[in-house]
Amino acid sequence: MQKKLSLILSDTKRSLTYLNYLNKNKINIKVVLFYGISKKKNLFKKILKSKNIDTILFKKTKKINSKSIEMTNKYFSNEYILFSGYPGQIIKNKKLLNKNLIHCHPGLLPKYKGSTTIYYSLLNENKIFVSLFRVSKKIDSGKILFISKVKAPNSLSLIENQFDNKVRAETLIKFINNKKKITIKKKTYSNFQNYYIAHPII
């Protein structure tokens, strides 16, 4: 049985990738909230014609914590809500954080937090993981719901473009379809750090 899903999406290639994968796999979506986007934006026109979406909302603001977005909370109930926002955005909306807000992170949590975790994971361990977790106030620190191990790309130049978005979307589909998650032995990581800057040898 598939998990119920709604989406909060910014105007990004990652959001489009998520939509394409959900549409391709015929996943029914309860609510889609687009923010920072115009109804006439060509990027999403084709996807918006999908019959798999019940409700579509638009907000022109690019600020995820704006009052206009907070007003849309009533449309979301107990379903999982995928958040695909603009880079660096942190959700402070308490009502939204109290819902089942999830995010796909390209790193093995809690060991690899931040924005450049794929590179460090490859350099340190020659492995890549995607962690799907419930969003909390602290960056990349919510409850982990699903972990997927993915094959490294043939070229590092692909990571910043289609690879990163692709493996996140694939992990989301596995989670929705109740695929058995990868089990990782629990470890105590004493020296956490956030990986925001690319490794100097890259």
Side-chain angles (χ1 to χ4, degrees):
M1 182 178 179
Q2 290 181 348
K3 299 173 177 66
K4 291 182 179 179
L5 184 71
S6 286
L7 310 170
I8 297 178
L9 306 176
S10 59
D11 180 16
T12 61
K13 289 182 179 179
R14 180 169 302 147
S15 295
L16 181 60
T17 301
Y18 277 127
L19 282 169
N20 279 327
Y21 269 77
L22 290 166
N23 193 47
K24 179 180 177 180
N25 288 273
K26 298 180 180 179
I27 304 298
N28 292 320
I29 300 169
K30 184 178 177 183
V31 179
V32 176
L33 167 60
F34 289 115
Y35 74 104
I37 182 174
S38 167
K39 290 183 180 180
K40 296 181 180 180
K41 193 76 175 182
N42 292 328
L43 186 63
F44 291 103
K45 277 187 177 180
K46 182 177 179 181
I47 302 299
L48 294 179
K49 294 178 181 179
S50 171
K51 296 180 180 179
N52 299 331
I53 303 173
D54 294 338
T55 303
I56 299 173
L57 307 171
F58 288 90
K59 294 295 177 181
K60 291 184 178 180
T61 179
K62 290 187 176 182
K63 298 179 180 179
I64 188 61
N65 297 302
S66 68
K67 289 185 178 180
S68 63
I69 289 183
E70 186 174 355
M71 291 173 63
T72 66
N73 285 338
K74 62 184 178 181
Y75 291 95
F76 303 102
S77 54
N78 297 322
E79 74 275 10
Y80 286 105
I81 308 167
L82 175 74
F83 176 62
S84 174
Y86 292 102
Q89 288 193 330
I90 298 176
I91 296 178
K92 299 178 181 179
N93 184 329
K94 291 182 179 179
K95 291 182 179 179
L96 197 55
L97 288 172
N98 286 334
K99 296 182 181 293
N100 288 321
L101 195 66
I102 60 175
H103 180 68
C104 293
H105 171 74
L108 179 59
L109 294 176
K111 188 176 182 181
Y112 291 95
K113 299 180 181 181
S115 59
T116 54
T117 50
I118 287 182
Y119 296 108
Y120 280 91
S121 182
L122 276 173
L123 290 166
N124 293 341
E125 305 177 29
N126 197 31
K127 296 177 183 177
I128 298 177
F129 294 90
V130 177
S131 301
L132 189 152
F133 68 98
R134 185 172 281 119
V135 178
S136 66
K137 292 180 180 179
K138 296 182 179 180
I139 186 169
D140 300 337
S141 300
K143 181 180 178 181
I144 300 169
L145 303 176
F146 189 86
I147 295 175
S148 177
K149 184 178 180 180
V150 298
K151 185 178 179 181
N154 295 326
S155 171
L156 290 178
S157 64
L158 298 174
I159 290 178
E160 288 297 321
N161 296 306
Q162 64 263 38
F163 178 79
D164 187 352
N165 296 336
K166 174 177 175 288
V167 295
R168 294 192 200 211
E170 289 175 343
T171 298
L172 175 65
I173 297 300
K174 290 178 184 178
F175 174 68
I176 293 171
N177 288 331
N178 290 310
K179 296 289 185 181
K180 187 176 181 180
K181 68 178 179 180
I182 302 292
T183 55
I184 306 296
K185 287 186 177 181
K186 292 184 178 180
K187 297 179 181 179
T188 301
Y189 300 108
S190 56
N191 295 315
F192 289 137
Q193 71 178 93
N194 292 331
Y195 295 90
Y196 291 115
I197 303 172
H199 195 283
I201 72 168
I202 296 176

